[in-house]
């Protein structure tokens, strides 16, 4: 069993760390202002003063924080992971951040004596709770082989995409597809509702045809039931689409559908919905249509 530092106990990080504890690993984390860390402490997790102290106790350090600056702060800030890194420590970043920054972080961790793996995830809160995440890995072959047994505790589909940063590139592509599919589901259900059809039956029928998708299943149900408490917050999806659009500019690439989805998310945020689940994109479309699905 390994001594694992886990930094980032949010909606997804908490159950992910819990699975590692349940598998018999020791978990070290940082002070947290919410009850989440205490919940894990009751299962045996040990709380350290800062990321440096976590690294000093750990053979593996996993980060699961919101954005690129957060990863940089945890790894390289005052009393960061790099300051307490032991030779050979495996650092696995499971956040969703910029691919180019990831390549830089990998070089800095390797210079400090560690092995770096980027392993962003897809599957939302449900995937984290059920240990059914899809995990996209950027690493050396050695780093991937070291990380894989731990990733398999938290996820169901583990794919070594390529070198450092390639896992993050895959995650950006994933978020493009997810955003556009959520928008498509919302538009389809809105059309059916405005036309007077029973949207629940429309969704049921579509699930049996070519339009079937996990998003139609899970997020379509959210839209019909109007349950927009977050599994994945709009503001986090906005962050991911910003990465996509910034990357597209650097590649001289046009992503018009992505830009449109980002504008709809922004409309939600402007109306107090930054913390809604990303299925809440429906509300922006409803406002444009002056019609609420199911009404």
């Amino acid at each position: 069993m390994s001594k694992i530092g886990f930094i980032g106990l949010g909606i997804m990080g908490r159950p992910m760390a819990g699975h590692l504890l349940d598998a018999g690993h020791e978990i070290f984390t940082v002070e947290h202002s919410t009850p989440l860390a205490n919940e894990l402490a009751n299962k045996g997790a040990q709380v350290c003063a800062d990321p440096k102290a976590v690294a000093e106790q750990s053979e593996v350090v996993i980060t699961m924080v919101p954005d690129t600056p957060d990863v940089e702060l945890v790894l390289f800030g005052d009393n960061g992971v790099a300051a307490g890194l032991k030779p050979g420590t495996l650092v696995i970043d499971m956040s969703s951040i910029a691919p180019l920054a990831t390549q830089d972080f990998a070089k800095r961790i390797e210079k400090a004596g560690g092995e770096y793996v980027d392993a962003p995830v897809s599957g939302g809160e449900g995937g984290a709770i059920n240990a059914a995440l899809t995990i996209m890995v950027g690493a050396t072959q050695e780093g991937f082989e070291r990380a894989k047994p731990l990733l398999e505790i938290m996820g169901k589909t583990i794919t070594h995409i390529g070198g450092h940063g390639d896992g993050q590139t895959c995650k950006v592509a994933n978020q493009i597809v997810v955003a556009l599919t959520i928008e498509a589901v919302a538009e389809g259900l809105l059309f059916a509702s405005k036309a007077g059809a029973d949207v629940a039956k429309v969704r049921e029928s579509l699930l049996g045809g070519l339009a079937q998708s996990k998003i139609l299943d899970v997020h379509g149900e959210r839209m019909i039931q109007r349950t927009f408490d977050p599994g994945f917050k709009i503001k986090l999806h906005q962050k991911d689409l910003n990465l996509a659009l910034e990357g597209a500019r650097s590649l001289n690439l046009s992503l018009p559908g992505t830009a449109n989805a980002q504008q709809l998310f922004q409309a939600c945020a402007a109306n107090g919905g930054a913390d809604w689940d990303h299925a809440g994109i429906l509300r922006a479309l409803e406002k444009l249509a002056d019609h609420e699905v199911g009404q």
Side-chain angles (χ1 to χ4, degrees):
M1 295 296 102
S2 298
K3 295 182 177 181
I4 301 172
F6 200 111
I7 301 172
L9 302 176
I11 288 174
M12 296 178 66
R14 176 170 51 87
M16 291 163 68
H19 294 313
L20 294 169
L21 274 169
D22 292 340
H25 297 287
E26 292 185 63
I27 295 292
F28 301 86
T29 189
V30 292
E31 295 283 357
H32 205 283
S33 59
T34 74
L36 300 182
N38 291 335
E39 179 181 321
L40 290 175
N42 292 337
K43 296 175 71 174
Q46 301 178 49
V47 179
C48 302
D50 50 46
K52 177 185 176 182
V54 169
E56 289 172 340
Q57 296 292 329
S58 304
E59 303 161 89
V60 179
V61 177
I62 297 173
T63 53
M64 184 64 175
V65 295
D67 204 349
T68 307
D70 303 301
V71 176
E72 184 167 26
L73 180 63
V74 166
L75 295 181
F76 307 110
D78 293 340
N79 295 315
V81 167
L85 207 63
K86 296 179 291 190
T89 298
L90 182 64
V91 177
I92 307 173
D93 178 38
M94 304 189 76
S95 319
S96 296
I97 66 170
L100 287 177
T102 292
Q103 293 172 9
D104 176 61
F105 296 166
K107 291 175 183 176
R108 292 164 72 180
I109 288 295
E110 288 176 348
K111 187 176 180 180
E115 175 81 39
Y116 193 89
V117 171
D118 54 286
V121 306
S122 179
E125 183 182 13
I129 291 171
N130 295 316
L133 293 167
T134 293
I135 305 178
M136 311 154 218
V137 183
T140 64
Q141 188 62 39
E142 179 185 356
F144 175 68
E145 295 299 335
R146 289 182 63 191
K148 188 178 180 182
L150 299 178
L151 300 179
E152 288 176 334
I153 294 170
M154 298 177 281
K156 186 176 181 180
T157 303
I158 320 295
T159 306
H160 186 193
I161 305 298
H164 295 129
D166 287 348
Q168 296 295 351
T169 295
C170 183
K171 179 58 187 291
V172 171
N174 178 84
Q175 295 303 82
I176 292 170
V177 173
V178 169
L180 270 63
T181 307
I182 290 176
E183 180 187 352
V185 169
E187 289 191 13
L189 295 181
L190 181 61
F191 171 80
S193 178
K194 184 77 172 184
D198 183 327
V199 289
K201 291 182 178 178
V202 168
R203 170 180 164 274
E204 181 182 349
S205 179
L206 294 179
L207 284 170
L210 190 59
Q212 191 278 335
S213 71
K214 187 172 183 178
I215 287 172
L216 177 61
D217 184 9
V218 176
H219 291 81
E221 179 71 9
R222 279 180 177 270
M223 292 173 190
I224 292 169
Q225 297 298 326
R226 311 197 68 76
T227 53
F228 298 117
D229 292 338
F232 188 74
K233 294 179 180 180
I234 280 175
K235 66 183 179 184
L236 294 178
H237 211 144
Q238 284 184 285
K239 177 262 297 181
D240 292 338
L241 294 191
N242 280 337
L243 294 176
L245 294 169
E246 290 165 5
R249 281 191 291 272
S250 70
L251 294 168
N252 196 27
L253 176 68
S254 176
L255 298 176
T258 303
N260 186 60
Q262 182 71 307
Q263 287 299 307
L264 290 169
F265 281 140
Q266 182 56 38
C268 292
N271 284 274
D275 288 328
W276 296 342
D277 184 82
H278 50 176
I281 199 171
L282 173 69
R283 288 180 166 179
L285 293 165
E286 289 175 333
K287 195 171 185 69
L288 290 171
D290 192 26
H291 176 82
E292 188 173 289
V293 165
Q295 300 301 312

